[in-house]
Amino acid sequence: MLQGSDLACVRGDRNLFKAVNFILKDGGLMQVNGPNGSGKTSLLRILCGLSAPAAGKITWNGKSVRTLGEAYYSELVYIGHLSGTKDDLTALENLRISSAFSGENISEHQAVEALVDMGLGGREHLPAKVLSQGQRRRVALARLLVSKAKLWILDEPLAALDVSAIQLVKNLLERHLKENGMIVMTTHQDIDMTAASIVQLQLT
Amino acid sequence: MFFWIVQRDLLLAMRRRSDVLTTLFFFVIVVSLFPLSVGPEMNMLRMMAPGVVWVAALLASMLSLGRLFSNDYLDGTLEQMLLSSQSLSILVLGKALAHWLVTGVPLVLMAPVLGIQYDLPVDALFVLTTSLLLGTPVLSLIGAIGAALTLGLRGGGVLVSLLVLPLYIPVLIFGAGSVEADMAGLDYDAHLSLLGAFLLVSIVFAPWAAASSLRVSME
Amino acid sequence: MAINWYKYASPASFYSLAGRMIPFFAILAFGLLVAGLYIGFFVAPTDFQQGEAYRIIFIHVPAAWMSMFLYVVMALWAGIGLAFNTRLSSMMATAIAPTGAMFTFVALWTGSLWGKPMWGTWWVWDARLTSELILLFLYIGFMSLQAAIDDPRRADKAGAIIALVGVINIPIIYFSVQWWNTLHQGASVSVTQAPTMASTMLTGMMVMVFAAWMYAIAVILKRVRVIILERERHTAWVSELNERGAL
């Protein structure tokens, strides 16, 4: 269970948000909505433990995420708007290495399978710099296919994706929710997701 | 994980070989400028050689620090590293090792050749190479702290030199000192032992300090 | 008597406390300075070896002591700020740095003024002067790093890390420089003072040391107040002060 209580975030002199409260249970989806600059990305980074909130705290199963540290990170996948794909590495290398960071050593075979599932069959050995924005996004999202993490935190996962890829990702997310996983995401697209519980968090 | 990161950074360096060569050529050019500025008098050059080679190694190693974290920072990989289920210190140690293999080792290998330009005797060449072998990893490790602290800052490249060059001074003194001691017919073991001690201390503390710096810089 | 010290850990109450303390330390600093300079320049006897030039130690020695001591104090405050996330401690560290750097510079400058008549040259690569120079570099590094970072919280923490790394390195640097110096110069020059120091000289110097202390405290408190105002300019208590015209 992920719980945020009384969260506040300050950037420079500006109060981005304050008194943000939520509880996210197993199988739950939380959609963070709000206009540009309302602090969606900041909130997601705080939820990951990358930055500390100006006030309030976040707990994972009752323990503060700042003290859990690596134990929390091993249950978490974060895909930010920078997807973390290296231009000079191939799609396959990118996927295997980014999975290794989260402590999951996947075989070459598994990685190829995941890339094929993401519609990148035949492009596994191309360096990322020749892929299009959407394709690079797919490489980043392929990590979700091989991940065993319970909590997914996704910043605009659907950006730059075409219709078929959006459908692909939607199915992937719903499968994760059905398997009792949890998702926190921001998106500008309207998608209808089915989940055991859906929390809508509105930032202004 | 440690080997993953070393392997990855080496792979990236292999795909961008020109970066590696730039550092090496910088080192060679700086060392070669000195005879042109002070004159070709062999006795003087022989006396200056250890200091010149060491200062050039310091500068070359420092200039390449910018690449240590900034590429990963710009494309978002660094965020992933911070969220790794492995200890961030180990990751930093891996990156520093890769940095040393890519920038430090070529300097160590090139040093004897440059020493010959300065007419150093054979045993002094040997001591010079050994001292660089022990000292350059310390430069990469201490430099990692500076690189982590200046991540994403305006003028980070110049700033990093202000931060790390004073910290490099002990390595410089004992590195260059070992060669001078040898040429003066003195024992150089103590110098090399101290360099070894610096290396051990920085292996223990520097990755930890650099990891905390990364967390601070990424907030 | 139980004083609630934690009360003063909040910038707002420390701001007013510091405001009340500054005049006290400033007056003390001024008084001690006048007394110390008087003893140093009129009471203390002329040194039989160094003549009148030795009198520069009344400024040089306190400055050199303060420069080293303030670095340690700065690192201590910065470390406390990093460990316990107390903003005020980090502000103290930031406020100490310029004063420390100023004393370092004064120590170098007066050292060089003293070196000219003593050694016949403005600069000697003596172990202490060289260490002092490196200390100046460390101060400059700390201040430049903090100046380059816009977000004050990041500046505090990054500064703390570099200050702590510096403090660990100072003994190593000092020791290295000593070794380097003995290797290269042998005993050609020695900076050690004459073994016996007239007691008035010692008194004068101690008075000057206290003057330097009081000056440092007054200036640092003043600077901390400015930093507090700058960082807290959007809070209610600062605008209240402003409305009352108390700024």
Side-chain angles (χ1 to χ4, degrees):
Chain A
M1 187 177 77
L2 184 72
Q3 181 173 9
S5 32
D6 213 17
L7 298 174
C9 174
V10 183
R11 275 284 165 273
D13 292 335
R14 251 161 45 81
N15 271 312
L16 281 183
F17 53 79
K18 58 181 176 188
V20 167
N21 291 288
F22 66 86
I23 293 177
L24 185 62
K25 295 202 178 76
D26 286 4
L29 164 75
M30 178 159 88
Q31 278 196 301
V32 183
N33 308 310
N36 292 340
S38 59
K40 297 191 295 291
T41 297
S42 300
L43 178 65
L44 295 198
R45 286 174 55 90
I46 288 174
L47 292 185
C48 293
L50 276 172
S51 46
K57 83 180 206 179
I58 304 144
T59 56
W60 174 250
N61 295 332
K63 292 191 196 91
S64 161
V65 299
R66 297 287 280 188
T67 51
L68 279 174
E70 277 104 26
Y72 174 58
Y73 301 149
S74 65
E75 303 206 55
L76 164 89
V77 170
Y78 169 68
I79 298 182
H81 60 107
L82 293 169
S83 37
T85 29
K86 281 265 167 230
D87 280 354
D88 290 330
L89 297 180
T90 67
L92 186 66
E93 288 162 343
N94 264 310
L95 176 57
R96 289 192 70 193
I97 287 169
S98 60
S99 301
F101 284 147
S102 37
E104 285 161 36
N105 284 312
I106 56 168
S107 69
E108 193 165 331
H109 178 70
Q110 276 175 297
V112 171
E113 222 166 49
L115 289 171
V116 170
D117 284 354
M118 286 309 288
L120 290 167
R123 295 190 174 78
E124 302 94 332
H125 294 287
L126 289 181
K129 62 183 159 209
V130 304
L131 298 178
S132 74
Q133 269 311 318
Q135 287 171 325
R136 295 162 64 116
R137 199 72 192 156
R138 290 182 192 216
V139 175
L141 290 167
R143 248 184 89 192
L144 297 175
L145 276 169
V146 290
S147 154
K148 294 184 196 69
K150 180 147 192 173
L151 173 63
W152 293 358
I153 298 184
L154 312 172
D155 196 355
E156 295 288 347
L158 306 178
L161 293 182
D162 58 21
V163 182
S164 67
I166 290 179
Q167 192 55 42
L168 211 66
V169 173
K170 184 173 173 261
N171 294 342
L172 178 62
L173 299 184
E174 282 179 338
R175 199 179 72 206
H176 180 63
L177 291 168
K178 212 169 284 163
E179 288 162 358
N180 258 342
M182 295 142 94
I183 298 175
V184 178
M185 64 187 275
T186 62
T187 176
H188 278 106
Q189 267 101 337
D190 283 323
I191 50 163
D192 293 319
M193 301 264 289
T194 47
S197 66
I198 296 184
V199 183
Q200 295 284 350
L201 193 68
Q202 185 68 38
L203 300 176
T204 47
Chain B
M1 189 64 220
F2 179 72
F3 294 104
W4 266 108
I5 196 93
V6 176
Q7 203 186 352
R8 185 199 79 132
D9 277 19
L10 291 181
L11 190 65
L12 281 169
M14 283 318 288
R15 303 228 166 124
R16 292 257 163 165
R17 258 165 296 211
S18 61
D19 284 1
V20 180
L21 292 175
T22 322
T23 311
L24 187 60
F25 285 131
F26 173 82
F27 178 60
V28 174
I29 290 173
V30 169
V31 173
S32 311
L33 283 179
F34 275 85
L36 296 174
S37 63
V38 300
E41 218 268 293
M42 271 305 170
N43 273 331
M44 183 173 53
L45 288 183
R46 214 175 293 126
M47 279 209 6
M48 284 173 50
V52 168
V53 173
W54 259 99
V55 169
L58 237 65
L59 294 177
S61 164
M62 189 199 74
L63 280 182
S64 60
L65 285 175
R67 289 200 303 274
L68 189 53
F69 296 117
S70 65
N71 287 343
D72 287 336
Y73 171 68
L74 290 176
D75 63 20
T77 320
L78 199 57
E79 269 178 353
Q80 300 296 337
M81 291 182 192
L82 259 65
L83 294 176
S84 161
S85 51
Q86 312 290 311
S87 142
L88 185 59
S89 306
I90 299 289
L91 264 155
V92 171
L93 188 63
K95 283 194 76 73
L97 175 64
H99 179 262
W100 176 68
L101 289 173
V102 171
T103 62
V105 171
L107 302 188
V108 175
L109 297 178
M110 188 53 92
V113 181
L114 298 173
I116 291 172
Q117 280 192 324
Y118 281 70
D119 195 29
L120 284 182
V122 174
D123 49 338
L125 285 179
F126 170 75
V127 180
L128 177 67
T129 314
T130 317
S131 69
L132 280 168
L133 192 64
L134 285 168
T136 44
V138 183
L139 304 183
S140 292
L141 283 161
I142 296 178
I145 305 176
L149 285 173
T150 54
L151 206 58
L153 297 181
R154 285 169 278 113
V158 186
L159 192 56
V160 82
S161 62
L162 280 183
L163 296 181
V164 301
L165 283 181
L167 303 176
Y168 281 173
I169 288 170
V171 181
L172 172 70
I173 287 177
F174 289 105
S178 64
V179 188
E180 282 167 19
D182 177 63
M183 293 195 328
L186 301 170
D187 201 14
Y188 54 83
D189 284 354
H191 292 84
L192 293 185
S193 315
L194 276 165
L195 280 179
F198 292 158
L199 178 57
L200 289 179
V201 170
S202 47
I203 285 179
V204 175
F205 289 108
W208 177 74
S212 332
S213 311
L214 280 179
R215 293 215 185 274
V216 167
S217 297
M218 292 295 287
E219 278 215 352
Chain C
M1 193 172 72
I3 304 173
N4 184 6
W5 289 106
Y6 289 106
K7 189 183 142 206
Y8 293 111
S10 103
S13 36
F14 189 79
Y15 179 84
S16 58
L17 176 72
R20 274 177 276 133
M21 290 192 317
I22 289 171
F24 173 73
F25 286 109
I27 292 167
L28 261 181
F30 184 74
L32 287 168
L33 182 74
V34 171
L37 287 179
Y38 180 75
I39 299 175
F41 283 90
F42 299 104
V43 182
T46 307
D47 189 80
F48 72 98
Q49 274 181 326
Q50 306 182 3
E52 300 294 346
Y54 90 94
R55 291 187 197 274
I56 205 145
I57 63 159
F58 291 112
I59 295 175
H60 176 74
V61 173
W65 283 358
M66 290 305 289
S67 67
M68 286 179 259
F69 201 74
L70 282 179
Y71 194 90
V72 178
V73 176
M74 178 183 89
L76 195 72
W77 278 121
I80 293 174
L82 186 66
F84 302 107
N85 208 6
T86 44
R87 286 173 303 152
L88 188 60
S89 334
S90 305
M91 293 184 206
M92 282 297 283
T94 309
I96 289 172
T99 307
M102 188 277 286
F103 275 120
T104 317
F105 181 74
V106 169
L108 281 172
W109 188 26
T110 52
S112 123
L113 284 180
W114 185 62
K116 185 65 183 167
M118 289 301 116
W119 305 324
T121 164
W122 295 112
W123 183 262
V124 178
W125 287 97
D126 158 73
R128 287 189 219 184
L129 272 178
T130 312
S131 309
E132 196 72 19
L133 183 66
I134 296 168
L135 186 64
L136 184 64
F137 295 158
L138 291 178
Y139 273 119
I140 291 174
F142 176 86
M143 291 191 289
S144 327
L145 179 64
Q146 290 211 320
I149 304 177
D150 293 326
D151 176 27
R153 287 217 310 182
R154 179 178 167 190
D156 285 346
K157 290 180 183 171
I161 291 173
I162 201 69
L164 290 173
V165 170
V167 112
I168 294 168
N169 267 281
I170 282 178
I172 301 176
I173 292 174
Y174 188 72
F175 163 73
S176 315
V177 171
Q178 284 267 307
W179 177 311
W180 162 80
N181 193 246
T182 47
L183 191 77
H184 285 263
Q185 286 197 325
S188 60
V189 285
S190 156
V191 203
T192 42
Q193 312 286 329
T196 49
M197 204 181 213
S199 65
T200 39
M201 289 186 194
L202 194 65
T203 318
M205 208 165 79
M206 291 319 286
V207 172
M208 286 301 284
V209 169
F210 280 114
W213 260 112
M214 296 304 125
Y215 165 79
I217 294 175
V219 172
I220 288 165
L221 286 178
K222 183 78 191 158
R223 201 174 287 120
V224 148
R225 266 166 67 95
V226 175
I227 295 171
I228 290 176
L229 277 189
E230 193 186 344
R231 299 247 185 121
E232 308 258 307
R233 62 185 177 279
H234 296 287
T235 56
W237 70 268
V238 174
S239 29
E240 204 175 291
L241 273 184
N242 198 14
E243 277 159 27
R244 278 195 282 133
L247 282 184

